[in-house]
Amino acid sequence: MKNDEIKPNVSIGMPVFNGAKTIEKAINSILAQTFEDFELLISDNASDDETENICKRFASKDSRIHYMRQDKNIGLYQNENFLLGK
């Protein structure tokens, strides 16, 4: 996000690891909400399934979605803490 952009009122953090079977449904559920002033921050914990491709596809279609990928699996708690720092 650029410094001159207005930050949304709500940030949603979504840590994920190998979530290809469910991530699309989870993202669609968030996007279906009537409240629209949010950003969705997805931190992929070095998944080795189709999670990355699915998330990148959503991020390319909706500017509220920000996909980040860890270089290696940093563990659940560190991945959650990473999102909290964003």
Tab-separated table of all heavy atoms in Angstrom, residues 8-64:
chain	number	residue	atom	x	y	z
A	8	PRO	N	-7.813	0.926	4.743
A	8	PRO	CA	-9.179	0.474	5.045
A	8	PRO	C	-9.416	0.423	6.551
A	8	PRO	O	-8.472	0.355	7.338
A	8	PRO	CB	-9.236	-0.913	4.433
A	8	PRO	CG	-7.839	-1.338	4.251
A	8	PRO	CD	-7.009	-0.108	4.128
A	9	ASN	N	-10.680	0.439	6.937
A	9	ASN	CA	-11.038	0.395	8.350
A	9	ASN	C	-10.737	-0.948	9.002
A	9	ASN	O	-10.490	-1.010	10.201
A	9	ASN	CB	-12.523	0.719	8.544
A	9	ASN	CG	-12.796	2.193	8.452
A	9	ASN	OD1	-12.032	3.007	8.955
A	9	ASN	ND2	-13.873	2.555	7.777
A	10	VAL	N	-10.757	-2.025	8.233
A	10	VAL	CA	-10.570	-3.362	8.792
A	10	VAL	C	-9.502	-4.105	7.995
A	10	VAL	O	-9.511	-4.096	6.763
A	10	VAL	CB	-11.891	-4.166	8.749
A	10	VAL	CG1	-11.688	-5.593	9.213
A	10	VAL	CG2	-12.960	-3.486	9.588
A	11	SER	N	-8.595	-4.749	8.717
A	11	SER	CA	-7.620	-5.647	8.110
A	11	SER	C	-7.923	-7.062	8.587
A	11	SER	O	-8.070	-7.296	9.787
A	11	SER	CB	-6.190	-5.277	8.525
A	11	SER	OG	-5.832	-4.027	8.008
A	12	ILE	N	-8.024	-7.982	7.653
A	12	ILE	CA	-8.292	-9.376	7.962
A	12	ILE	C	-7.033	-10.165	7.644
A	12	ILE	O	-6.548	-10.124	6.511
A	12	ILE	CB	-9.469	-9.919	7.132
A	12	ILE	CG1	-10.722	-9.084	7.371
A	12	ILE	CG2	-9.713	-11.405	7.440
A	12	ILE	CD1	-11.826	-9.333	6.367
A	13	GLY	N	-6.503	-10.848	8.626
A	13	GLY	CA	-5.322	-11.672	8.425
A	13	GLY	C	-5.709	-13.122	8.239
A	13	GLY	O	-6.484	-13.669	9.030
A	14	MET	N	-5.165	-13.740	7.199
A	14	MET	CA	-5.471	-15.137	6.918
A	14	MET	C	-4.163	-15.912	6.748
A	14	MET	O	-3.568	-15.908	5.677
A	14	MET	CB	-6.331	-15.257	5.657
A	14	MET	CG	-6.717	-16.675	5.312
A	14	MET	SD	-7.695	-16.804	3.781
A	14	MET	CE	-9.263	-16.159	4.349
A	15	PRO	N	-3.699	-16.572	7.818
A	15	PRO	CA	-2.542	-17.446	7.653
A	15	PRO	C	-2.997	-18.735	6.975
A	15	PRO	O	-4.094	-19.225	7.237
A	15	PRO	CB	-2.076	-17.695	9.085
A	15	PRO	CG	-3.298	-17.526	9.916
A	15	PRO	CD	-4.173	-16.531	9.193
A	16	VAL	N	-2.152	-19.283	6.106
A	16	VAL	CA	-2.551	-20.496	5.399
A	16	VAL	C	-1.327	-21.366	5.132
A	16	VAL	O	-0.229	-20.870	4.921
A	16	VAL	CB	-3.285	-20.162	4.072
A	16	VAL	CG1	-2.387	-19.426	3.118
A	16	VAL	CG2	-3.884	-21.400	3.438
A	17	PHE	N	-1.549	-22.668	5.183
A	17	PHE	CA	-0.542	-23.644	4.768
A	17	PHE	C	-1.270	-24.805	4.103
A	17	PHE	O	-2.138	-25.441	4.715
A	17	PHE	CB	0.284	-24.158	5.951
A	17	PHE	CG	1.236	-25.259	5.568
A	17	PHE	CD1	2.341	-24.991	4.780
A	17	PHE	CD2	1.000	-26.569	5.950
A	17	PHE	CE1	3.206	-26.010	4.393
A	17	PHE	CE2	1.858	-27.592	5.580
A	17	PHE	CZ	2.973	-27.312	4.797
A	18	ASN	N	-0.950	-25.059	2.851
A	18	ASN	CA	-1.579	-26.135	2.081
A	18	ASN	C	-3.102	-26.106	2.204
A	18	ASN	O	-3.738	-27.097	2.526
A	18	ASN	CB	-1.023	-27.498	2.490
A	18	ASN	CG	0.379	-27.727	1.970
A	18	ASN	OD1	0.873	-26.976	1.126
A	18	ASN	ND2	1.031	-28.749	2.467
A	19	GLY	N	-3.659	-24.949	1.914
A	19	GLY	CA	-5.100	-24.763	2.043
A	19	GLY	C	-5.861	-24.806	0.735
A	19	GLY	O	-6.972	-24.293	0.666
A	20	ALA	N	-5.285	-25.417	-0.290
A	20	ALA	CA	-5.905	-25.396	-1.616
A	20	ALA	C	-7.339	-25.932	-1.617
A	20	ALA	O	-8.173	-25.462	-2.381
A	20	ALA	CB	-5.052	-26.181	-2.612
A	21	LYS	N	-7.632	-26.880	-0.757
A	21	LYS	CA	-8.975	-27.474	-0.743
A	21	LYS	C	-10.028	-26.527	-0.181
A	21	LYS	O	-11.205	-26.662	-0.501
A	21	LYS	CB	-8.973	-28.771	0.062
A	21	LYS	CG	-8.208	-29.884	-0.602
A	21	LYS	CD	-8.280	-31.152	0.218
A	21	LYS	CE	-7.496	-32.271	-0.459
A	21	LYS	NZ	-7.544	-33.512	0.320
A	22	THR	N	-9.614	-25.558	0.652
A	22	THR	CA	-10.599	-24.719	1.335
A	22	THR	C	-10.394	-23.216	1.149
A	22	THR	O	-11.300	-22.437	1.456
A	22	THR	CB	-10.589	-25.013	2.844
A	22	THR	OG1	-9.267	-24.789	3.354
A	22	THR	CG2	-11.003	-26.448	3.127
A	23	ILE	N	-9.248	-22.792	0.662
A	23	ILE	CA	-8.936	-21.356	0.633
A	23	ILE	C	-9.886	-20.580	-0.279
A	23	ILE	O	-10.273	-19.452	0.032
A	23	ILE	CB	-7.450	-21.095	0.268
A	23	ILE	CG1	-7.066	-19.639	0.499
A	23	ILE	CG2	-7.154	-21.475	-1.173
A	23	ILE	CD1	-6.716	-19.327	1.897
A	24	GLU	N	-10.267	-21.165	-1.394
A	24	GLU	CA	-11.161	-20.462	-2.316
A	24	GLU	C	-12.508	-20.173	-1.662
A	24	GLU	O	-13.035	-19.066	-1.756
A	24	GLU	CB	-11.349	-21.275	-3.594
A	24	GLU	CG	-12.059	-20.513	-4.677
A	24	GLU	CD	-11.981	-21.194	-6.032
A	24	GLU	OE1	-11.247	-22.186	-6.189
A	24	GLU	OE2	-12.672	-20.706	-6.951
A	25	LYS	N	-13.038	-21.157	-0.963
A	25	LYS	CA	-14.321	-20.969	-0.264
A	25	LYS	C	-14.179	-19.910	0.837
A	25	LYS	O	-15.058	-19.067	1.012
A	25	LYS	CB	-14.791	-22.297	0.327
A	25	LYS	CG	-16.142	-22.232	0.962
A	25	LYS	CD	-16.609	-23.608	1.421
A	25	LYS	CE	-17.985	-23.518	2.042
A	25	LYS	NZ	-18.463	-24.843	2.497
A	26	ALA	N	-13.062	-19.927	1.560
A	26	ALA	CA	-12.843	-18.950	2.634
A	26	ALA	C	-12.738	-17.529	2.076
A	26	ALA	O	-13.335	-16.591	2.613
A	26	ALA	CB	-11.581	-19.312	3.411
A	27	ILE	N	-11.985	-17.364	0.991
A	27	ILE	CA	-11.846	-16.029	0.389
A	27	ILE	C	-13.183	-15.556	-0.165
A	27	ILE	O	-13.572	-14.404	0.045
A	27	ILE	CB	-10.760	-16.037	-0.705
A	27	ILE	CG1	-9.387	-16.302	-0.086
A	27	ILE	CG2	-10.758	-14.707	-1.460
A	27	ILE	CD1	-8.281	-16.540	-1.105
A	28	ASN	N	-13.895	-16.433	-0.862
A	28	ASN	CA	-15.208	-16.051	-1.390
A	28	ASN	C	-16.170	-15.652	-0.286
A	28	ASN	O	-16.980	-14.733	-0.458
A	28	ASN	CB	-15.799	-17.183	-2.235
A	28	ASN	CG	-15.257	-17.189	-3.637
A	28	ASN	OD1	-14.990	-16.137	-4.220
A	28	ASN	ND2	-15.085	-18.370	-4.200
A	29	SER	N	-16.084	-16.308	0.856
A	29	SER	CA	-16.943	-15.959	1.990
A	29	SER	C	-16.657	-14.537	2.478
A	29	SER	O	-17.582	-13.776	2.767
A	29	SER	CB	-16.729	-16.961	3.125
A	29	SER	OG	-17.484	-16.603	4.251
A	30	ILE	N	-15.399	-14.189	2.528
A	30	ILE	CA	-15.034	-12.827	2.950
A	30	ILE	C	-15.494	-11.814	1.913
A	30	ILE	O	-16.057	-10.763	2.247
A	30	ILE	CB	-13.518	-12.735	3.201
A	30	ILE	CG1	-13.149	-13.556	4.437
A	30	ILE	CG2	-13.073	-11.283	3.358
A	30	ILE	CD1	-11.670	-13.774	4.623
A	31	LEU	N	-15.284	-12.108	0.656
A	31	LEU	CA	-15.665	-11.182	-0.409
A	31	LEU	C	-17.175	-11.017	-0.530
A	31	LEU	O	-17.652	-9.998	-1.045
A	31	LEU	CB	-15.089	-11.650	-1.746
A	31	LEU	CG	-13.567	-11.653	-1.863
A	31	LEU	CD1	-13.143	-12.201	-3.213
A	31	LEU	CD2	-13.001	-10.257	-1.629
A	32	ALA	N	-17.933	-11.984	-0.057
A	32	ALA	CA	-19.395	-11.932	-0.155
A	32	ALA	C	-20.037	-11.065	0.923
A	32	ALA	O	-21.247	-10.815	0.872
A	32	ALA	CB	-19.968	-13.345	-0.084
A	33	GLN	N	-19.265	-10.594	1.878
A	33	GLN	CA	-19.824	-9.774	2.954
A	33	GLN	C	-20.299	-8.428	2.403
A	33	GLN	O	-19.754	-7.915	1.428
A	33	GLN	CB	-18.773	-9.530	4.040
A	33	GLN	CG	-18.210	-10.789	4.656
A	33	GLN	CD	-19.290	-11.633	5.308
A	33	GLN	OE1	-20.077	-11.168	6.106
A	33	GLN	NE2	-19.311	-12.903	4.940
A	34	THR	N	-21.290	-7.853	3.031
A	34	THR	CA	-21.782	-6.550	2.580
A	34	THR	C	-20.827	-5.422	2.964
A	34	THR	O	-20.776	-4.405	2.282
A	34	THR	CB	-23.186	-6.257	3.155
A	34	THR	OG1	-23.133	-6.327	4.583
A	34	THR	CG2	-24.205	-7.256	2.622
A	35	PHE	N	-20.064	-5.594	4.028
A	35	PHE	CA	-19.058	-4.606	4.426
A	35	PHE	C	-17.878	-4.725	3.469
A	35	PHE	O	-17.343	-5.819	3.255
A	35	PHE	CB	-18.605	-4.869	5.869
A	35	PHE	CG	-17.619	-3.856	6.384
A	35	PHE	CD1	-18.055	-2.631	6.859
A	35	PHE	CD2	-16.265	-4.119	6.381
A	35	PHE	CE1	-17.158	-1.692	7.328
A	35	PHE	CE2	-15.354	-3.187	6.842
A	35	PHE	CZ	-15.806	-1.970	7.329
A	36	GLU	N	-17.475	-3.615	2.873
A	36	GLU	CA	-16.446	-3.667	1.841
A	36	GLU	C	-15.163	-2.919	2.168
A	36	GLU	O	-14.194	-3.007	1.418
A	36	GLU	CB	-17.012	-3.135	0.524
A	36	GLU	CG	-18.124	-3.993	-0.027
A	36	GLU	CD	-18.639	-3.501	-1.362
A	36	GLU	OE1	-18.261	-2.392	-1.792
A	36	GLU	OE2	-19.428	-4.240	-1.976
A	37	ASP	N	-15.131	-2.187	3.283
A	37	ASP	CA	-13.955	-1.368	3.605
A	37	ASP	C	-12.936	-2.191	4.394
A	37	ASP	O	-12.731	-1.986	5.589
A	37	ASP	CB	-14.384	-0.116	4.382
A	37	ASP	CG	-13.255	0.867	4.559
A	37	ASP	OD1	-12.238	0.766	3.826
A	37	ASP	OD2	-13.368	1.746	5.432
A	38	PHE	N	-12.333	-3.152	3.706
A	38	PHE	CA	-11.371	-4.036	4.360
A	38	PHE	C	-10.242	-4.368	3.395
A	38	PHE	O	-10.334	-4.149	2.194
A	38	PHE	CB	-12.046	-5.329	4.829
A	38	PHE	CG	-12.500	-6.221	3.707
A	38	PHE	CD1	-11.635	-7.133	3.124
A	38	PHE	CD2	-13.795	-6.141	3.223
A	38	PHE	CE1	-12.047	-7.952	2.081
A	38	PHE	CE2	-14.217	-6.958	2.187
A	38	PHE	CZ	-13.341	-7.858	1.621
A	39	GLU	N	-9.176	-4.895	3.977
A	39	GLU	CA	-8.114	-5.516	3.193
A	39	GLU	C	-7.952	-6.933	3.726
A	39	GLU	O	-8.127	-7.171	4.916
A	39	GLU	CB	-6.799	-4.738	3.295
A	39	GLU	CG	-6.199	-4.716	4.689
A	39	GLU	CD	-4.907	-3.919	4.783
A	39	GLU	OE1	-4.328	-3.570	3.748
A	39	GLU	OE2	-4.482	-3.657	5.921
A	40	LEU	N	-7.651	-7.851	2.838
A	40	LEU	CA	-7.415	-9.234	3.217
A	40	LEU	C	-5.935	-9.520	3.012
A	40	LEU	O	-5.427	-9.449	1.895
A	40	LEU	CB	-8.261	-10.190	2.372
A	40	LEU	CG	-8.001	-11.682	2.561
A	40	LEU	CD1	-8.213	-12.103	4.012
A	40	LEU	CD2	-8.880	-12.494	1.621
A	41	LEU	N	-5.244	-9.798	4.107
A	41	LEU	CA	-3.814	-10.093	4.077
A	41	LEU	C	-3.636	-11.593	4.228
A	41	LEU	O	-3.964	-12.162	5.271
A	41	LEU	CB	-3.101	-9.365	5.219
A	41	LEU	CG	-3.350	-7.860	5.321
A	41	LEU	CD1	-2.753	-7.306	6.599
A	41	LEU	CD2	-2.792	-7.156	4.098
A	42	ILE	N	-3.128	-12.229	3.191
A	42	ILE	CA	-2.930	-13.678	3.205
A	42	ILE	C	-1.443	-13.951	3.319
A	42	ILE	O	-0.659	-13.482	2.497
A	42	ILE	CB	-3.479	-14.333	1.930
A	42	ILE	CG1	-4.956	-14.013	1.743
A	42	ILE	CG2	-3.249	-15.851	1.978
A	42	ILE	CD1	-5.513	-14.446	0.398
A	43	SER	N	-1.051	-14.703	4.344
A	43	SER	CA	0.336	-15.115	4.494
A	43	SER	C	0.415	-16.620	4.303
A	43	SER	O	-0.047	-17.396	5.134
A	43	SER	CB	0.884	-14.724	5.869
A	43	SER	OG	2.224	-15.159	5.992
A	44	ASP	N	1.012	-17.015	3.192
A	44	ASP	CA	1.168	-18.417	2.834
A	44	ASP	C	2.469	-18.928	3.448
A	44	ASP	O	3.544	-18.421	3.162
A	44	ASP	CB	1.193	-18.530	1.309
A	44	ASP	CG	1.317	-19.945	0.806
A	44	ASP	OD1	1.515	-20.870	1.623
A	44	ASP	OD2	1.229	-20.128	-0.419
A	45	ASN	N	2.346	-19.935	4.279
A	45	ASN	CA	3.482	-20.469	5.019
A	45	ASN	C	4.223	-21.534	4.197
A	45	ASN	O	4.386	-22.667	4.627
A	45	ASN	CB	3.007	-21.033	6.362
A	45	ASN	CG	4.098	-21.069	7.393
A	45	ASN	OD1	5.209	-20.619	7.159
A	45	ASN	ND2	3.782	-21.613	8.553
A	46	ALA	N	4.636	-21.139	2.979
A	46	ALA	CA	5.410	-22.002	2.071
A	46	ALA	C	4.648	-23.266	1.680
A	46	ALA	O	5.192	-24.365	1.696
A	46	ALA	CB	6.771	-22.342	2.666
A	47	SER	N	3.400	-23.086	1.298
A	47	SER	CA	2.583	-24.221	0.860
A	47	SER	C	3.220	-24.912	-0.338
A	47	SER	O	3.861	-24.270	-1.174
A	47	SER	CB	1.182	-23.749	0.465
A	47	SER	OG	0.483	-23.245	1.582
A	48	ASP	N	2.967	-26.229	-0.438
A	48	ASP	CA	3.466	-26.965	-1.596
A	48	ASP	C	2.324	-27.584	-2.403
A	48	ASP	O	2.509	-28.554	-3.129
A	48	ASP	CB	4.492	-28.021	-1.189
A	48	ASP	CG	3.970	-29.022	-0.171
A	48	ASP	OD1	2.748	-29.082	0.051
A	48	ASP	OD2	4.791	-29.757	0.401
A	49	ASP	N	1.139	-26.983	-2.277
A	49	ASP	CA	0.000	-27.382	-3.100
A	49	ASP	C	-0.387	-26.189	-3.984
A	49	ASP	O	0.444	-25.337	-4.254
A	49	ASP	CB	-1.163	-27.880	-2.226
A	49	ASP	CG	-1.737	-26.807	-1.305
A	49	ASP	OD1	-1.242	-25.658	-1.310
A	49	ASP	OD2	-2.695	-27.117	-0.574
A	50	GLU	N	-1.600	-26.093	-4.398
A	50	GLU	CA	-2.040	-25.026	-5.310
A	50	GLU	C	-2.440	-23.734	-4.598
A	50	GLU	O	-2.962	-22.813	-5.238
A	50	GLU	CB	-3.210	-25.524	-6.160
A	50	GLU	CG	-2.800	-26.533	-7.213
A	50	GLU	CD	-1.824	-25.931	-8.207
A	50	GLU	OE1	-2.105	-24.876	-8.781
A	50	GLU	OE2	-0.745	-26.544	-8.403
A	51	THR	N	-2.188	-23.627	-3.303
A	51	THR	CA	-2.575	-22.443	-2.538
A	51	THR	C	-2.053	-21.158	-3.168
A	51	THR	O	-2.793	-20.181	-3.318
A	51	THR	CB	-2.078	-22.562	-1.079
A	51	THR	OG1	-2.700	-23.704	-0.476
A	51	THR	CG2	-2.407	-21.326	-0.271
A	52	GLU	N	-0.797	-21.141	-3.524
A	52	GLU	CA	-0.195	-19.924	-4.096
A	52	GLU	C	-0.932	-19.476	-5.356
A	52	GLU	O	-1.277	-18.297	-5.492
A	52	GLU	CB	1.283	-20.164	-4.411
A	52	GLU	CG	1.960	-18.948	-5.021
A	52	GLU	CD	3.436	-19.153	-5.274
A	52	GLU	OE1	3.918	-20.312	-5.285
A	52	GLU	OE2	4.129	-18.141	-5.474
A	53	ASN	N	-1.187	-20.388	-6.271
A	53	ASN	CA	-1.864	-20.026	-7.518
A	53	ASN	C	-3.270	-19.509	-7.275
A	53	ASN	O	-3.702	-18.538	-7.900
A	53	ASN	CB	-1.899	-21.228	-8.468
A	53	ASN	CG	-0.526	-21.619	-8.944
A	53	ASN	OD1	0.369	-20.781	-9.053
A	53	ASN	ND2	-0.344	-22.888	-9.228
A	54	ILE	N	-3.980	-20.134	-6.367
A	54	ILE	CA	-5.345	-19.707	-6.048
A	54	ILE	C	-5.327	-18.296	-5.469
A	54	ILE	O	-6.093	-17.422	-5.897
A	54	ILE	CB	-6.014	-20.691	-5.072
A	54	ILE	CG1	-6.208	-22.054	-5.755
A	54	ILE	CG2	-7.343	-20.154	-4.563
A	54	ILE	CD1	-6.562	-23.187	-4.806
A	55	CYS	N	-4.449	-18.062	-4.508
A	55	CYS	CA	-4.382	-16.748	-3.861
A	55	CYS	C	-3.948	-15.659	-4.835
A	55	CYS	O	-4.497	-14.549	-4.821
A	55	CYS	CB	-3.436	-16.796	-2.667
A	55	CYS	SG	-4.041	-17.808	-1.316
A	56	LYS	N	-2.980	-15.961	-5.677
A	56	LYS	CA	-2.528	-14.977	-6.665
A	56	LYS	C	-3.638	-14.629	-7.647
A	56	LYS	O	-3.773	-13.482	-8.068
A	56	LYS	CB	-1.299	-15.492	-7.411
A	56	LYS	CG	-0.026	-15.387	-6.596
A	56	LYS	CD	1.166	-15.850	-7.413
A	56	LYS	CE	2.473	-15.603	-6.680
A	56	LYS	NZ	3.625	-16.063	-7.485
A	57	ARG	N	-4.434	-15.605	-7.998
A	57	ARG	CA	-5.558	-15.353	-8.908
A	57	ARG	C	-6.555	-14.384	-8.275
A	57	ARG	O	-6.988	-13.417	-8.905
A	57	ARG	CB	-6.252	-16.677	-9.257
A	57	ARG	CG	-7.424	-16.521	-10.195
A	57	ARG	CD	-7.951	-17.854	-10.716
A	57	ARG	NE	-7.954	-18.938	-9.762
A	57	ARG	CZ	-8.986	-19.234	-8.961
A	57	ARG	NH1	-10.075	-18.495	-8.973
A	57	ARG	NH2	-8.916	-20.262	-8.143
A	58	PHE	N	-6.886	-14.611	-7.004
A	58	PHE	CA	-7.800	-13.703	-6.305
A	58	PHE	C	-7.185	-12.312	-6.169
A	58	PHE	O	-7.861	-11.307	-6.381
A	58	PHE	CB	-8.157	-14.249	-4.920
A	58	PHE	CG	-9.313	-15.201	-4.925
A	58	PHE	CD1	-9.096	-16.569	-4.926
A	58	PHE	CD2	-10.615	-14.741	-4.909
A	58	PHE	CE1	-10.145	-17.463	-4.923
A	58	PHE	CE2	-11.690	-15.617	-4.903
A	58	PHE	CZ	-11.461	-16.994	-4.915
A	59	ALA	N	-5.908	-12.244	-5.800
A	59	ALA	CA	-5.245	-10.955	-5.607
A	59	ALA	C	-5.177	-10.159	-6.904
A	59	ALA	O	-5.249	-8.923	-6.887
A	59	ALA	CB	-3.844	-11.162	-5.028
A	60	SER	N	-5.055	-10.832	-8.028
A	60	SER	CA	-4.986	-10.125	-9.312
A	60	SER	C	-6.328	-9.527	-9.709
A	60	SER	O	-6.389	-8.595	-10.498
A	60	SER	CB	-4.483	-11.060	-10.417
A	60	SER	OG	-5.466	-12.012	-10.756
A	61	LYS	N	-7.410	-10.050	-9.128
A	61	LYS	CA	-8.751	-9.582	-9.463
A	61	LYS	C	-9.321	-8.573	-8.468
A	61	LYS	O	-10.283	-7.876	-8.775
A	61	LYS	CB	-9.710	-10.773	-9.550
A	61	LYS	CG	-9.398	-11.712	-10.687
A	61	LYS	CD	-10.372	-12.875	-10.674
A	61	LYS	CE	-10.036	-13.872	-11.760
A	61	LYS	NZ	-10.934	-15.029	-11.723
A	62	ASP	N	-8.753	-8.521	-7.264
A	62	ASP	CA	-9.318	-7.655	-6.219
A	62	ASP	C	-8.180	-6.977	-5.466
A	62	ASP	O	-7.392	-7.644	-4.793
A	62	ASP	CB	-10.167	-8.487	-5.259
A	62	ASP	CG	-11.046	-7.646	-4.351
A	62	ASP	OD1	-10.546	-6.619	-3.826
A	62	ASP	OD2	-12.213	-8.007	-4.148
A	63	SER	N	-8.093	-5.662	-5.573
A	63	SER	CA	-6.983	-4.910	-4.973
A	63	SER	C	-7.003	-4.919	-3.447
A	63	SER	O	-6.022	-4.528	-2.820
A	63	SER	CB	-6.985	-3.469	-5.484
A	63	SER	OG	-8.176	-2.810	-5.086
A	64	ARG	N	-8.080	-5.373	-2.844
A	64	ARG	CA	-8.136	-5.461	-1.382
A	64	ARG	C	-7.392	-6.674	-0.862
A	64	ARG	O	-7.122	-6.786	0.334
A	64	ARG	CB	-9.592	-5.529	-0.903
A	64	ARG	CG	-10.412	-4.295	-1.252
A	64	ARG	CD	-11.868	-4.491	-0.905
A	64	ARG	NE	-12.420	-5.591	-1.714
A	64	ARG	CZ	-13.656	-6.058	-1.596
A	64	ARG	NH1	-14.471	-5.556	-0.688
A	64	ARG	NH2	-14.081	-7.046	-2.362
